[in-house]
């Protein structure tokens, strides 16, 4: 595996948001006392008039975002994923989704790689609870460059959106990709015929590594980057399922209700093939270094390889 | 400008609509709609700038009904103000109607925010006031809350925001009818000292009789002239106001519609008549 550039998706967000602020005067940014961590601080410094720190009050932040959006603003509201999705869920539901207002919930510190802060700060259920909301679009960028594209796309896309970003630096894998980023369209990252690995977020890089290892063992794994969990690219999932006959999902999220759940829903209604989910097994995390936690909770390249071999074995 | 007498007559009309709508729907929240009827009358027929033929007019004043269960009184006002035909009111809560049980901004012109889950409206009103400031508009933003609703934590998060950002284009009004579903507000979870709470949160606080047109006009006028801080008008009201048997048993009519007999009795009282045929 070649050395990859490392970028945190939250850093990419902060950078592109400040650029977009220059291009579009309707963009307003809110944060809930975490601007240094979510990286909205760059926008705040460049455009102090269009930045509002709402203090430690996520519910109020989301409601205020709705009011600004109701007056035509494109509002980015940022905090940690666990607070933006969980603490303010009902506000997201009623004030943002039911109203179909133009609020982009761009949240950072998603998943277990939030690390040392421990279980209270690790959002492992957010994809599930956000994608269950009508009118919500859910995007999980695979790396820094894709995060930039997703945030740019969000500005040109009307409606509520949940953009899930990470704390640690993660490998850059979409640089130089000749496929266009389109909300709702998955990306074929690597061809393969024996199974498809559907992944999102930082797990796409691991899926690519897993495919390399599997190739050496004679298993040809296709890798698909499903950066948009909702609306899900059903057509691509069904086509890959038919062409490869087995599937696994890999996500830095609970195996309940996230990418794994979403893909399983599509498969069970369309193509019955062996499938396995790599993700957190219905447990809370704990404090530790991101890499230690990924190993302890089964979110590694090796876990993907193991799951891939098992589903391939189950093929008729 | 309408006289107090004319506004009082409109308030009676709104109350009659509330009774007829909830009776026809056989569900809904008459008590808290009736208590807010005079406040809504003064807002929609005296205070607010809006154009029924152009509901998204950029310079209009914004009104957020945070106590979303009082939808009937807002629907009645919007119909009387010309946003849609009065006849449509009888579709309240029916399948396919734009008159949802709790307010849905996407289904009806003239509605600024969807509400129903209590405590969310003041935050949205703050957002509208901030947007007005960014856009250098001079519209005002009004938000009506219930007193029971002020038990929601988000109200106080939002109250801090309004004061912190010195949102003097915002007037909040509390329909202080002293009852919530389970009983008297002071017995369920006391808000007192209610006025002091708002004052300590940095608000300009006014009190008035929420059923006196002149008092409401005066308070709204004072609020609009207040600079540097948001104003809250704590309007003393009576749950079920205007209908004696509802005023006497407010807990029975929080979320229960009048029967056909009760409807008749209520309308006779409201219109000051002895008997009528529907």
């Amino acid at each position: 595996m070649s050395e990859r550039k490392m970028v945190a998706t939250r850093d990419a967000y902060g950078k592109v948001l400040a650029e977009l602020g220059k291009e579009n005067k309707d963009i307003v940014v809110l944060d809930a006392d975490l601007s240094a961590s979510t990286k909205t601080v760059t926008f705040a410094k460049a455009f102090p008039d269009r930045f509002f720190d709402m203090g430690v009050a996520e519910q109020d932040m989301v409601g205020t975002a709705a009011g600004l959006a109701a007056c035509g603003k494109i509002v980015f509201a940022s905090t940690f994923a666990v607070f933006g999705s969980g603490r303010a869920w009902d506000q997201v539901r009623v004030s943002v989704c039911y109203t179909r207002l133009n609020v982009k919930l761009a949240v950072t510190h998603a998943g277990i790689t939030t690390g040392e802060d421990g279980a209270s700060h690790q959002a492992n259920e957010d994809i599930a609870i956000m994608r269950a909301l009508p009118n919500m679009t859910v995007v999980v960028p695979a790396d820094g460059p894709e995060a930039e594209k997703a945030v740019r796309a969000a500005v040109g896309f009307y409606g509520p959106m949940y953009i899930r970003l990470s704390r640690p630096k993660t490998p850059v894998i979409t640089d130089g990709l000749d496929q266009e980023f389109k909300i709702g369209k998955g990306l074929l990252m690597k061809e393969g015929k024996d199974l498809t690995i559907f992944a999102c977020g930082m797990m796409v890089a691991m899926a690519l590594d897993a495919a390399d290892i599997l190739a050496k063992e004679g298993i040809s794994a296709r890798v698909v980057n499903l950066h948009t969990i909702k609306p899900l690219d059903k057509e691509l999932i069904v086509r890959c399922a038919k062409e490869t006959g087995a599937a696994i999902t890999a996500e830095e999220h609970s195996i309940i209700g996230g990418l794994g759940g979403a893909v399983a829903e599509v498969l069970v209604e369309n193509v019955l093939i062996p499938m396995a989910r790599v993700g957190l097994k219905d447990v809370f995390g704990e404090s530790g270094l991101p890499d230690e936690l990924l190993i302890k909770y089964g979110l590694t390249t090796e876990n993907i390889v193991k799951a891939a071999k098992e589903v391939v074995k189950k093929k008729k | 400008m309408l006289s107090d007498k004319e506004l009082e007559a409109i308030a009676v009309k709104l109350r009659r609509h509330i009774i007829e709508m909830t009776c026809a729907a056989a569900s809904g929240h008459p008590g808290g709609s009736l208590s807010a009827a005079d406040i809504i009358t003064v807002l929609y027929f005296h205070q607010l700038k809006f154009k029924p033929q152009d509901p998204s007019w950029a310079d209009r004043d914004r009104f957020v009904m945070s106590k979303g269960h009082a939808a009937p009184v807002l629907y009645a006002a919007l119909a009387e103000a010309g946003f849609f035909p009065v006849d449509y009111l009888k579709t309240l809560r029916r399948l396919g109607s734009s008159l949802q049980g709790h307010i849905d901004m996407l289904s009806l012109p003239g509605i600024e925010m969807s509400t129903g889950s209590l405590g969310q409206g003041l935050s949205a009103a703050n957002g509208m006031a901030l947007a007005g400031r960014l856009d250098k508009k001079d519209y005002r933003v009004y938000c009506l809350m219930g007193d029971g609703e002020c038990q929601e934590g988000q109200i106080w998060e939002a109250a801090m925001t309004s004061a912190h950002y010195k949102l003097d284009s915002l007037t909040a009004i509390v329909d202080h009818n002293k009852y919530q579903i389970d009983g008297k507000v002071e017995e369920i979870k006391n808000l007192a000292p209610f006025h002091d709470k708002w004052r300590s949160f940095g608000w300009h606080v006014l009190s008035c009789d929420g059923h006196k047109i002149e008092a409401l006009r005066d308070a709204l006028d004072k609020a609009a002239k207040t600079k540097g801080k948001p104003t809250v008008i704590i309007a003393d009201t009576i749950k079920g106001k205007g209908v004696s048997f509802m005023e006497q048993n407010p807990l029975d009519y929080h979320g229960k519609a009048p029967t056909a007999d009760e409807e008749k009795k209520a309308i006779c009282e409201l219109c000051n008549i002895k008997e009528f045929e529907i």
Side-chain angles (χ1 to χ4, degrees):
Chain A
M1 283 154 249
S2 56
E3 278 299 306
R4 292 172 174 140
K5 203 168 119 189
M6 301 289 280
V7 174
T9 50
R10 62 173 167 147
D11 284 319
Y13 166 57
K15 178 175 152 264
V16 74
L17 191 62
E19 288 168 19
L20 288 163
K22 214 174 297 172
E23 297 164 23
N24 192 325
K25 303 283 176 236
D26 286 332
I27 294 176
V28 175
V29 177
L30 307 181
D31 205 300
D33 198 37
L34 289 167
S35 63
S37 298
T38 64
K39 305 298 173 185
T40 58
V41 66
T42 316
F43 182 99
K45 281 184 184 150
F47 309 101
D49 294 349
R50 286 187 277 143
F51 175 83
F52 300 98
D53 201 321
M54 305 306 295
V56 191
E58 296 80 10
Q59 302 175 10
D60 182 44
M61 174 175 75
V62 170
T64 307
L68 281 155
C71 296
K73 303 298 173 194
I74 302 166
V75 190
F76 282 83
S78 290
T79 175
F80 287 179
V82 75
F83 308 129
S85 66
R87 184 61 176 255
W89 190 82
D90 189 45
Q91 286 72 18
V92 175
R93 179 175 185 268
V94 177
S95 290
V96 174
C97 287
Y98 188 40
T99 55
R100 208 172 154 256
L101 284 167
N102 207 7
V103 174
K104 317 300 177 190
L105 212 51
V107 297
T108 67
H109 295 62
I112 199 153
T113 54
T114 295
E116 297 90 325
D117 276 353
S120 67
H121 282 54
Q122 295 161 350
N124 298 322
E125 313 82 16
D126 56 326
I127 297 175
I129 60 175
M130 285 292 114
R131 85 178 176 93
L133 292 170
N135 294 337
M136 181 58 101
T137 293
V138 179
V139 175
V140 186
D143 64 1
E146 191 165 273
E148 283 193 36
K149 286 179 196 161
V151 173
R152 275 194 180 275
V155 173
F157 172 96
Y158 183 88
M161 192 184 287
Y162 184 76
I163 305 171
R164 187 184 203 242
L165 306 163
S166 308
R167 173 188 173 225
K169 289 189 163 72
T170 54
V172 171
I173 48 165
T174 67
D175 241 3
L177 206 68
D178 61 356
Q179 301 173 75
E180 197 192 344
F181 176 89
K182 270 180 91 176
I183 293 165
K185 288 282 163 216
L187 295 170
L188 185 62
M189 304 293 290
K190 187 177 167 58
E191 265 302 353
K193 58 181 178 39
D194 296 330
L195 85 154
T196 307
I197 306 171
F198 296 104
C200 66
M202 57 175 293
M203 300 301 283
V204 180
M206 289 192 211
L208 289 168
D209 293 345
D212 287 345
I213 294 170
L214 288 163
K216 285 177 194 144
E217 301 185 28
I219 295 172
S220 163
R222 182 179 294 186
V223 177
V224 170
N225 168 11
L226 285 177
H227 52 67
T228 308
I229 315 285
K230 188 185 175 188
L232 197 58
D233 192 344
K234 290 178 191 162
E235 209 184 301
L236 180 64
I237 294 168
V238 170
R239 180 161 65 81
C240 292
K242 284 181 178 162
E243 287 171 2
T244 65
I248 66 168
T249 54
E251 64 194 307
E252 192 203 354
H253 181 275
S254 169
I255 54 168
I256 298 173
L259 174 72
V263 170
E265 287 160 16
V266 172
L267 292 180
V268 84
E269 288 182 348
N270 294 282
V271 205
L272 288 173
I273 56 166
M275 184 202 167
R277 294 166 295 163
V278 173
L280 273 114
K281 308 263 187 289
D282 194 21
V283 287
F284 284 107
E286 62 183 290
S287 290
L289 295 172
D291 286 342
E292 292 173 335
L293 291 164
L294 290 170
I295 293 166
K296 179 160 180 180
Y297 289 89
L299 302 172
T300 64
T301 302
E302 290 68 34
N303 293 110
I304 297 173
V305 169
K306 190 164 166 269
K309 285 182 185 167
E310 279 164 16
V311 291
V312 168
K313 232 182 271 170
K314 284 185 195 161
K315 279 170 79 171
K316 281 176 191 145
Chain B
M1 199 158 67
L2 298 178
S3 69
D4 288 6
K5 276 259 171 301
E6 287 167 316
L7 290 169
E8 279 163 19
I10 292 172
V12 170
K13 268 193 199 173
L14 299 192
R15 288 196 161 91
R16 184 171 173 167
H17 288 316
I18 292 164
I19 296 299
E20 289 173 347
M21 288 163 85
T22 53
C23 181
S27 74
H29 297 80
S33 295
L34 291 167
S35 64
D38 301 296
I39 298 166
I40 292 295
T41 297
V42 176
L43 281 171
Y44 272 86
F45 300 92
H46 170 73
Q47 191 71 20
L48 296 177
K49 286 184 298 180
F50 59 86
K51 297 177 179 174
Q53 302 316 317
D54 183 10
S56 49
W57 175 42
D59 295 320
R60 72 193 183 280
D61 289 333
R62 269 72 169 171
F63 172 70
V64 177
M65 176 68 104
S66 193
K67 46 176 287 186
H69 56 281
V73 66
L74 179 57
Y75 297 154
L78 290 174
E80 286 292 342
F83 282 90
F84 58 86
V86 169
D87 259 3
Y88 193 66
L89 290 174
K90 61 176 181 286
T91 68
L92 175 74
R93 290 177 166 243
R94 286 221 198 121
L95 188 65
S97 171
S98 291
L99 307 184
Q100 289 293 295
H102 292 80
I103 296 161
D104 172 14
M105 66 180 274
L106 296 184
S107 70
L108 203 63
I111 303 244
E112 303 290 348
M113 184 53 57
S114 303
T115 53
S117 179
L118 291 174
Q120 299 195 22
L122 189 59
S123 297
N126 283 336
M128 292 172 189
L130 287 170
R133 183 179 287 177
L134 285 172
D135 293 338
K136 300 187 168 51
K137 297 272 187 196
D138 64 0
Y139 63 73
R140 292 193 62 76
V141 183
Y142 295 85
C143 178
L144 180 65
M145 295 170 282
D147 48 7
E149 180 180 13
C150 291
Q151 291 162 349
E152 288 281 4
Q154 191 187 347
I155 292 289
W156 301 100
E157 291 183 5
M160 281 187 264
T161 298
S162 328
H164 180 81
Y165 288 105
K166 301 183 171 57
L167 299 178
D168 52 17
S169 63
L170 170 71
T171 303
I173 305 152
V174 179
D175 176 7
H176 193 18
N177 64 31
K178 291 133 201 115
Y179 280 90
Q180 58 191 105
I181 301 175
D182 275 355
K184 285 186 178 172
V185 173
E186 63 178 347
E187 286 169 9
I188 301 299
K189 187 178 275 192
N190 199 0
L191 294 165
F194 195 44
H195 299 68
D196 286 346
K197 275 196 177 74
W198 285 98
R199 221 168 270 127
S200 72
F201 271 70
W203 286 63
H204 173 224
V205 182
L206 295 170
S207 308
C208 76
D209 181 334
H211 299 307
K212 284 238 158 62
I213 300 293
E214 193 190 350
L216 284 163
R217 272 218 266 226
D218 186 47
L220 288 166
D221 190 44
K222 275 186 187 146
K225 284 179 182 147
T226 301
K227 296 292 164 209
K229 52 165 73 176
T231 297
V232 59
I233 300 168
I234 298 173
D236 263 311
T237 57
I238 295 166
K239 197 152 183 165
K241 173 72 179 176
V243 178
S244 62
F245 58 91
M246 291 191 179
E247 288 186 26
Q248 283 147 24
N249 302 292
L251 291 177
D252 290 348
Y253 294 95
H254 171 90
K256 188 179 137 271
T259 62
D261 282 349
E262 288 172 338
E263 177 191 35
K264 225 171 176 180
K265 202 173 153 199
I267 291 170
C268 285
E269 280 187 30
L270 287 169
C271 302
N272 215 2
I273 50 177
K274 282 206 174 105
E275 190 54 87
F276 71 100
E277 289 302 320
I278 295 173

